[in-house]
Amino acid sequence: MRPCASIGAAMAASFAVCRLHMRGRGILVKGLQKVDTCLHRNIGTNVVAAQSAALRKDETDEKEGCKSLYAVQAERQEQAERSVLISCHSRTNEKKFLKHLSKHGDIKKYFFYESYGMYAVVEFANRESVASLLEEAVIPSVNHESMVPFKSRLLSLKNLGSADSTNQQSGHQCQPQATIPINELIQRLSREESIDQQITFLTEAYQLTEENSRLRFLVCSLLKDIAAAYFPECNIKPFGSSVNGFGKLGSDLDMFLDLDGISGRNTKMPKSGLSLEYQMKRANSERAVTQSTLSVIGECVDQFGPGCVGVQKILNARCPLVRFAHQPSGFQCDLTANNRVAMKSTELLYLYGVLDPRVRFLVFTVRCWARAHGITSGIPGAWITNFSLTVMVLFFLQRRSPPIIPTLDHLRDLAGPADKSVIEGNDCTFVSDISKIQLQSNTETLEKLLCEFFEFYATFAFNKMSISIRKGKEQNKPEVAPLHIQNPFETSLNVSKNVNATQLERFVALCQESSWLLQQSETNTPGSGNKGNTPTPWGLATLLLPSQVAGIKSRKKRRREPASERIKSLLESLKNNNQQKKS
């Protein structure tokens, strides 16, 4: 079975060309809106039709300009193998730093960031440079005997000298590894001239940066060095929000221990009938193998992994995992194995994200809105998860007229023989060649889509209908649950089974109120009512103010869920999780 690939969600390097198309397209759409408004839709029809045709051509060029998923995955991993992570003094002289490291070879890229101190990621042009640098490194002389002599590409730079405070050329700029505070975001959004521009700014401010994406792949590569001691030729890949195109700065790092690439697996019997094979221990089941493997890796990470703290081996969960914090990067990490369906889900979300830029913009906006109002949460409970929310956005875009993105069944029909994928009896097949997917002409603006997303789910028949992006249409609920969202691949599962009625009611109420707020924003003047340098929130900025949404007098008042109800929801979720673990 071909291992699933994924890419850094920032995708700044691979999407450089695509972003130019996206920006140009956004400007074009805004221009059309202004022309259309000024002419009161009475003239300019031919101009609009011509520009729409150009828009569709831009979309085609945009898809062709993006690298394939597998190509970007391989490129990111190769970059990580040529990189080192260095702890250094906050006043490190940048010129001396680069001069010292350049003795070992050409430096292709580097950047500084802060996380429990100052760190630098340095990518060399060749792997030999990394080997040369490691030969120079020494074991710390203090308490030498009490240290575990495990060598890694996480290094510390000592005695290089500090930057001269009077020399502005010596300073270095740290790359952000976290999103801007919500209050600052609201102010920045309030200065934009349209809701479309607000959505674009929010996405660009919150999405993973090029540097953060590189750092995620580097952490995976450092963990691979540990795992390779027991499982040579293994690989550790990021998946989920880190690589599907919808990741936010500060999000967790989900990693997958991939053992499928080890040579000798799936090898056919030679014609001679004679073959050599490894002596291997057997286990009772594939799950037992996964648990044993992760137990060993987890112990190694705990004992030998530099900067890895708080290691927990959660092996009895439905999907066994090792959880820990990687202090040098600041990431909370989850390492799993034999989680191929999740990898295919990552690949599918990535595919939808590159088909049309509006997909990513809308997902980012809805996720940020949901977090601002407590619809989603970073801890387990009865809340709607980011994955469920993303599926709801995709389903809404499939229900547009004409649809903006195709159904999963359609993507399966376009698949070739090389795309065939069946995992544990589940059909996970869909086309991987983006150029084979022909999209219908839909030029709706981001503002219109956001407003109608809220209207769509404010009136959705959750009491009897299920959401399915495989079919792209509502289906009768197969089970009794407040919210039913079909797992795209494991179709018998409900990915929102944890959501209770109270949380769903809050979601619907917020959709109703947010739709009303956006309609009011149509008559607002951006930046009106400013006092000094503080702009008045409007449009999307208003939606991110919880007190503003909750205090609309024209709507029915709904109080925030009491603490007792939240505790009850958490207990119910824990009970469901325990039942899943036992099963």
Side-chain angles (χ1 to χ4, degrees):
M1 183 181 300
R2 180 179 60 182
C4 169
S6 50
I7 95 165
M11 298 175 287
S14 60
F15 285 140
V17 175
C18 296
R19 279 185 176 176
L20 291 175
H21 286 300
M22 289 160 58
R23 288 180 181 275
R25 181 179 179 213
I27 294 171
L28 179 58
V29 170
K30 292 166 192 169
L32 288 176
Q33 287 177 315
K34 291 179 180 179
V35 170
D36 197 39
T37 301
C38 293
L39 299 181
H40 300 285
R41 301 184 185 276
N42 291 324
I43 60 175
T45 304
N46 293 335
V47 174
V48 172
Q51 298 286 17
S52 296
L55 246 176
R56 290 194 296 272
K57 183 180 185 301
D58 279 348
E59 288 177 348
T60 301
D61 294 341
E62 191 175 298
K63 289 191 295 182
E64 292 177 351
C66 293
K67 294 181 180 180
S68 72
L69 186 65
Y70 299 102
V72 176
Q73 169 83 356
E75 179 182 337
R76 288 292 194 198
Q77 290 177 332
E78 207 273 332
Q79 289 172 348
E81 294 294 326
R82 290 186 278 105
S83 301
V84 294
L85 183 57
I86 301 177
S87 172
C88 51
H89 193 275
S90 60
R91 298 292 299 165
T92 295
N93 186 298
E94 186 172 345
K95 289 184 178 180
K96 290 183 179 179
F97 175 84
L98 295 176
K99 182 178 180 180
H100 179 76
L101 296 183
S102 295
K103 294 188 301 182
H104 301 279
D106 294 336
I107 296 175
K108 196 167 185 180
K109 184 178 179 62
Y110 72 95
F111 62 89
F112 295 89
Y113 72 92
E114 291 185 14
S115 174
Y116 298 96
M118 182 70 66
Y119 287 87
V121 173
V122 180
E123 178 197 343
F124 287 96
N126 300 292
R127 292 193 185 188
E128 291 77 13
S129 299
V130 174
S132 174
L133 180 66
L134 295 181
E135 287 181 4
E136 179 189 279
V138 298
I139 301 293
S141 57
V142 181
N143 294 328
H144 174 93
E145 297 79 6
S146 63
M147 292 185 176
V148 178
F150 178 81
K151 296 183 177 181
S152 75
R153 284 178 287 139
L154 174 55
L155 306 167
S156 296
L157 188 63
K158 304 292 184 182
N159 306 321
L160 184 63
S162 300
D164 184 356
S165 59
T166 62
N167 185 358
Q168 297 297 325
Q169 299 296 321
S170 298
H172 44 72
Q173 183 177 0
C174 291
Q175 296 297 326
Q177 301 297 308
T179 55
I180 61 177
I182 186 67
N183 292 338
E184 182 181 342
L185 174 67
I186 290 173
Q187 290 186 21
R188 296 286 298 274
L189 292 176
S190 302
R191 294 189 177 97
E192 297 294 337
E193 296 181 356
S194 69
I195 291 179
D196 278 46
Q197 290 180 358
Q198 289 180 331
I199 293 173
T200 301
F201 176 81
L202 181 147
T203 302
E204 292 179 347
Y206 269 49
Q207 69 186 355
L208 298 185
T209 61
E210 160 76 4
E211 291 78 15
N212 193 272
S213 178
R214 284 173 174 264
L215 183 57
R216 288 170 185 267
F217 274 85
L218 178 53
V219 172
C220 288
S221 183
L222 296 177
L223 265 292
K224 172 189 171 182
D225 291 344
I226 298 175
Y230 286 89
F231 306 100
E233 302 174 7
C234 73
N235 203 349
I236 293 184
K237 305 174 181 178
F239 73 97
S241 62
S242 293
V243 289
N244 61 21
F246 305 112
K248 186 180 77 169
L249 282 172
S251 61
D252 293 349
L253 172 57
D254 294 317
M255 298 178 288
F256 172 71
L257 175 63
D258 186 4
L259 304 176
D260 287 348
I262 296 177
S263 61
R265 300 193 69 165
N266 305 319
T267 302
K268 295 182 179 180
M269 178 68 71
K271 294 182 179 180
S272 65
L274 299 174
S275 66
L276 288 172
E277 63 180 24
Y278 292 99
Q279 288 283 331
M280 309 185 79
K281 287 194 172 183
R282 294 186 178 274
N284 295 329
S285 64
E286 187 175 9
R287 177 180 174 83
V289 172
T290 299
Q291 290 173 321
S292 298
T293 301
L294 288 177
S295 179
V296 171
I297 299 301
E299 191 66 24
C300 290
V301 170
D302 191 17
Q303 297 296 328
F304 310 131
C308 299
V309 299
V311 178
Q312 304 175 62
K313 294 186 287 185
I314 309 173
L315 304 179
N316 291 323
R318 181 174 178 270
C319 180
L321 61 94
V322 174
R323 177 169 293 164
F324 60 95
H326 187 258
Q327 286 188 332
S329 64
F331 297 142
Q332 292 292 322
C333 304
D334 284 350
L335 175 64
T336 62
N338 192 25
N339 195 15
R340 297 178 184 88
V341 173
M343 295 292 288
K344 292 299 290 186
S345 296
T346 298
E347 185 181 356
L348 178 64
L349 294 190
Y350 161 77
L351 179 64
Y352 277 129
V354 298
L355 283 178
D356 191 298
R358 290 172 294 179
V359 177
R360 293 181 61 244
F361 286 132
L362 196 60
V363 168
F364 263 98
T365 304
V366 172
R367 280 189 176 186
C368 186
W369 165 84
R371 180 54 65 92
H373 296 289
I375 295 297
T376 58
S377 176
I379 61 176
W383 300 274
I384 299 175
T385 64
N386 276 331
F387 180 73
S388 295
L389 203 60
T390 302
V391 173
M392 294 175 78
V393 174
L394 298 177
F395 181 75
F396 162 74
L397 295 176
Q398 291 175 338
R399 300 293 292 149
R400 304 307 296 155
S401 181
I404 292 178
I405 55 175
T407 66
L408 178 53
D409 278 351
H410 180 67
L411 296 179
R412 180 196 59 196
D413 294 340
L414 295 174
D419 297 317
K420 183 70 174 178
S421 177
V422 178
I423 302 174
E424 298 175 0
N426 300 298
D427 186 3
C428 301
T429 302
F430 59 89
V431 64
S432 59
D433 186 350
I434 300 175
S435 64
K436 292 182 179 180
I437 305 172
Q438 301 298 318
L439 301 179
Q440 299 188 47
S441 176
N442 181 307
T443 58
E444 291 176 303
T445 65
L446 291 169
E447 177 180 354
K448 179 178 177 62
L449 290 174
L450 182 62
C451 186
E452 298 205 4
F453 169 85
F454 293 130
E455 291 181 4
F456 181 81
Y457 284 112
T459 58
F460 190 83
F462 288 108
N463 60 325
K464 60 180 180 180
M465 304 307 291
S466 171
I467 294 170
S468 170
I469 62 171
R470 180 169 282 280
K471 300 295 182 183
K473 60 183 179 181
E474 298 89 342
Q475 301 182 105
N476 292 326
K477 274 188 182 181
E479 64 178 30
V480 178
L483 176 62
H484 190 280
I485 302 176
Q486 184 188 62
N487 187 304
F489 299 118
E490 299 175 281
T491 54
S492 62
L493 299 181
N494 174 14
V495 300
S496 58
K497 191 174 183 177
N498 63 300
V499 180
N500 63 21
T502 302
Q503 291 299 321
L504 180 60
E505 289 172 4
R506 288 191 67 245
F507 173 76
V508 172
L510 284 166
C511 283
Q512 295 171 348
E513 293 162 350
S514 297
S515 174
W516 185 86
L517 274 175
L518 280 181
Q519 292 172 15
Q520 301 309 303
S521 291
E522 293 177 357
T523 60
N524 282 1
T525 301
S528 63
N530 288 358
K531 295 181 180 180
N533 294 326
T534 304
T536 300
W538 74 280
L540 177 57
T542 308
L543 298 190
L544 301 181
L545 292 170
S547 59
Q548 183 76 6
V549 176
I552 297 176
K553 296 181 180 180
S554 61
R555 311 297 297 181
K556 180 181 178 180
K557 292 185 178 180
R558 298 174 175 86
R559 294 191 304 172
R560 189 169 179 262
E561 185 182 5
S564 59
E565 286 296 322
R566 296 198 301 274
I567 294 174
K568 181 180 178 181
S569 299
L570 180 59
L571 292 175
E572 289 178 358
S573 176
L574 292 174
K575 182 179 178 180
N576 290 335
N577 288 338
N578 289 333
Q579 291 175 348
Q580 291 179 359
K581 290 178 183 178
K582 293 178 181 178
S583 60

